[in-house]
Amino acid sequence: MLPTENRLRRREDFATAVRRGRRAGRPLLVVHLNSGATDPHAPGESASPVRAGFVVSKSVGGAVVRNRVKRRLRHLIRDRLSALPPGSLVVVRALPGSGDADHALLARDLDAALRRLLGGGAR
């Protein structure tokens, strides 16, 4: 489970990550990253935690498949939060093939996308 402080919930935050952030596409998912974003809703001047949100549409599959994909993505991103800059907003959009993919394939595509967004991989 993803901790409450690391969840992206507001529509405006999703829009900020998608519109102002960088994007990396892979065969199973697309990752949007807005690095070091400041949270206007957070009190004080401290660095806000990394927050992640997920978009899994009906094109991925039925409700059972969509929920399974979301659970897998939440688990995968939870283990990678420490590698992201503080205050980052991350949106992971699952593509139709992700419903049939296993955990290892999702992990591989997520790692490749994050590596590219963080500057560690070539196109």
Side-chain angles (χ1 to χ4, degrees), residues 75-90:
H75 176 76
L76 290 169
I77 204 75
R78 183 187 65 194
D79 295 337
R80 290 152 178 84
L81 289 175
S82 60
L84 299 170
S88 295
L89 302 178
V90 180

Side-chain angles (χ1 to χ4, degrees), residues 28-30 54-57 59-60 69 73 92-98:
L28 299 177
L29 47 88
V30 176
F54 306 94
V55 178
V56 184
S57 71
S59 66
V60 171
V69 169
L73 290 173
V92 180
R93 184 167 42 97
L95 297 177
S98 62

Side-chain angles (χ1 to χ4, degrees), residues 18-35:
V18 171
R19 291 186 186 141
R20 296 185 187 160
R22 297 179 61 209
R23 179 184 68 212
R26 302 297 305 158
L28 299 177
L29 47 88
V30 176
V31 179
H32 299 269
L33 174 67
N34 189 7
S35 298

